[in-house]
């Protein structure tokens, strides 16, 4: 059976699953769980998945479910966790847990994954589908990192991975299918400058860590503007400052924190090195010392070129408008999948720029469940065609 024929048959079956998927979306949205507390969400999804009783637990509160028989499979991910946001949508099915909300569309992603898995279970697909219910996408330690390091994807013979994420910057009906780096690596850093404190009226008798840290912060901005290729996207943002407790006291230390994003691994490693060197040398020039701690987060999310190219025409045949140039300095831990195997992250339009992710009013219309399901379907069929040997 050709990929076009398979796609058409599965798309038709998907239509029959959408009412149930939308109802599931409402249930998930009303009962969100924070990162690490997703067991109830997992059980709700497993009850809707075919073969959910045969789930394999992974990463604590996550699970995988194989649909479609044995042999090499395609992994399709859905995220379980919600955010610490107080919902302000006013819909009848808004969150019943004050201060917790699906403000990033994970409820939509999960419902779409269930619809696709049920369609594959009913009429078959081009390859087995491994539904990956991943915990802790929104926080550290990363759920995707735990899933990929567990070895479950190797044991299940996964040859590629597909994910989709709603994107309010894109208009409804548009799906971004972009080759190469589409999300940046995301690391956090802390710079602690230590000097000699004392009376603020006698600054010459101190080694002022506050003034020193101010010069460190300014110097760090030049790492991006003067030491990286302007055609390569890099972000270094200092977002926190802390020093002192009294107006007439020069403190003994001062601290700054921030985030470092890069679209290329080489830039990421270079800036790690230069961040440490710059902070230490600037501090030394002012008679202080600097300690730099870098917490490594997600790697670059890199879409496989062949898989991207194979998916684009399938998206178009499903009536979706295809964009090929969306990249973001935001991060998603699906990048751990892309570091292990050919992978594809698709961005599905919702609002055209009138809403923001993580907002208390963010609520993609129910129709987007269909769009996300179609996006996952196109990626799944293309991945099977590209990476599963035909008998």
């Amino acid at each position: 059976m050709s990929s076009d024929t398979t796609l058409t048959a599965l798309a038709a079956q998907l239509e029959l699953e959408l009412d149930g998927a939308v109802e599931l979306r409402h249930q998930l949205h009303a009962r969100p769980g924070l990162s690490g507390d997703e067991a109830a969400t997992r059980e709700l999804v497993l009850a809707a998945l075919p073969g959910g009783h045969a789930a394999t637990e992974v990463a604590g509160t996550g699970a995988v479910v194989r649909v479609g028989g044995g042999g090499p499979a395609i992994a399709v991910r859905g995220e379980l966790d919600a955010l610490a946001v107080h919902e302000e949508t006013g819909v009848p099915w808004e969150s019943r847990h004050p201060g917790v909300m699906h403000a990033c569309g994970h409820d939509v992603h999960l419902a779409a994954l269930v619809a696709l898995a049920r369609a594959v279970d009913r009429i078959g697909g081009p390859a087995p589908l491994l539904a990956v219910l991943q915990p802790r996408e929104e926080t550290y330690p990363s759920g995707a990192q735990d899933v990929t390091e567990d070895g479950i994807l190797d044991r299940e013979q996964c040859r590629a991975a597909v994910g989709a994420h709603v994107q309010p910057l894109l208009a409804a009906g548009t799906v971004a299918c972009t080759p190469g780096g589409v999300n940046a690596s995301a690391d956090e850093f802390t710079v602690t400058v230590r000097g000699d404190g004392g009376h603020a009226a006698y600054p010459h008798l101190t080694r002022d860590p506050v003034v020193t840290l101010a010069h460190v912060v300014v110097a760090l901005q030049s790492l991006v503007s003067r030491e990286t290729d302007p055609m390569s996207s890099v972000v270094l943002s200092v977002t926190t400052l802390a020093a002192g407790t009294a107006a007439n006291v020069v403190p003994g230390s001062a601290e700054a924190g921030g985030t470092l994003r890069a679209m290329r691994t080489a830039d990421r490693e270079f800036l790690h090195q230069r961040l440490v060197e710059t902070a230490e040398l600037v501090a030394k020039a002012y008679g202080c010392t600097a300690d730099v701690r870098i917490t490594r987060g997600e790697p670059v999310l890199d879409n496989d070129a062949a898989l991207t190219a194979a998916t684009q025409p399938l998206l178009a045949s499903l009536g979706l408008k295809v964009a090929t140039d969306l990249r973001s300095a935001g991060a998603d831990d699906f990048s751990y999948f892309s570091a292990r195997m050919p992978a594809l992250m698709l961005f599905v339009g919702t609002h055209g720029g009138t809403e923001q992710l993580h907002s208390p009013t963010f609520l993609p219309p129910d129709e987007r469940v269909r769009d996300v399901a179609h996006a996952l379907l196109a990626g799944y069929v293309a991945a099977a065609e590209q990476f599963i040997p035909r008998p």
Side-chain angles (χ1 to χ4, degrees), residues 202-225:
Y202 308 102
H204 60 296
L205 301 180
T206 72
R207 291 290 181 265
D208 191 340
V210 177
V211 172
T212 302
L213 182 62
H215 284 277
V216 170
V217 171
V218 171
L220 291 180
Q221 303 309 302
S222 295
L223 296 183
V224 173
S225 66

Side-chain angles (χ1 to χ4, degrees), residues 17 34 41 122 145 157 258 288 303 310 312 349 368 390:
E17 302 292 343
L34 292 172
T41 301
R122 288 185 182 280
Q145 184 176 19
Q157 303 179 65
C288 296
N303 276 347
Q312 289 170 356
R368 301 293 79 78
R390 295 182 179 180

Side-chain angles (χ1 to χ4, degrees), residues 84-219:
V85 174
H86 185 78
E87 184 164 354
E88 299 176 5
T89 65
V91 295
W93 36 277
E94 70 180 356
S95 172
R96 298 176 186 173
H97 301 165
V100 184
M101 176 190 175
H102 274 297
C104 203
H106 294 181
D107 53 332
V108 177
H109 307 163
L110 289 168
L113 171 55
V114 167
L116 174 60
R118 290 177 63 88
V120 171
D121 180 64
R122 288 185 182 280
I123 67 170
L129 183 153
L130 188 75
V132 180
L133 310 183
Q134 182 213 301
R136 288 179 280 107
E137 192 277 327
E138 297 288 359
T139 190
Y140 297 127
S142 159
Q145 184 176 19
D146 287 349
V147 169
T148 55
E149 291 181 354
D150 176 271
I152 186 71
L153 301 180
D154 293 331
R155 295 193 295 275
E156 293 287 351
Q157 303 179 65
C158 290
R159 298 294 184 259
V162 177
H165 203 296
V166 291
Q167 175 49 265
L169 296 177
L170 293 172
T174 298
V175 176
C177 183
T178 307
V182 293
N183 274 152
S185 60
D187 305 312
E188 296 178 359
F189 64 87
T190 303
V191 179
T192 303
V193 173
R194 294 182 173 86
D196 294 320
H199 200 300
Y202 308 102
H204 60 296
L205 301 180
T206 72
R207 291 290 181 265
D208 191 340
V210 177
V211 172
T212 302
L213 182 62
H215 284 277
V216 170
V217 171
V218 171

Side-chain angles (χ1 to χ4, degrees), residues 206-255:
T206 72
R207 291 290 181 265
D208 191 340
V210 177
V211 172
T212 302
L213 182 62
H215 284 277
V216 170
V217 171
V218 171
L220 291 180
Q221 303 309 302
S222 295
L223 296 183
V224 173
S225 66
R226 288 297 177 269
E227 296 197 34
T228 61
D229 187 340
M231 302 306 292
S232 177
S233 297
V234 175
V235 175
L236 191 160
S237 293
V238 176
T239 55
T240 64
L241 294 169
T245 57
N248 60 350
V249 177
V250 174
S253 64
E255 185 176 280

Side-chain angles (χ1 to χ4, degrees), residues 185 187 189 219-230 232-236 260-279 292 294 296 300:
S185 60
D187 305 312
F189 64 87
L220 291 180
Q221 303 309 302
S222 295
L223 296 183
V224 173
S225 66
R226 288 297 177 269
E227 296 197 34
T228 61
D229 187 340
S232 177
S233 297
V234 175
V235 175
L236 191 160
L260 178 63
R261 309 291 177 105
M263 295 298 290
R264 298 193 310 181
T265 300
D267 288 333
R268 180 191 197 190
E269 302 304 329
F270 170 76
L271 286 170
H272 282 195
Q273 174 189 342
R274 291 294 290 132
L275 195 160
V276 173
E277 293 172 349
T278 299
V292 180
I294 297 176
R296 296 179 73 94
V300 177

Side-chain angles (χ1 to χ4, degrees), residues 24-84:
L24 175 62
R25 186 266 175 112
H26 292 181
Q27 295 175 30
L28 293 167
H29 193 90
R31 301 173 178 84
L34 292 172
S35 301
D37 187 29
E38 307 101 331
T41 301
R42 177 190 64 193
E43 295 310 308
L44 193 59
V45 176
L46 289 178
L49 277 171
H53 61 281
T56 301
E57 184 177 300
V58 66
T61 52
V64 300
V65 175
R66 174 177 278 267
V67 178
I74 303 300
V76 182
R77 184 199 72 163
E79 315 97 301
L80 292 167
D81 54 341
L83 286 156

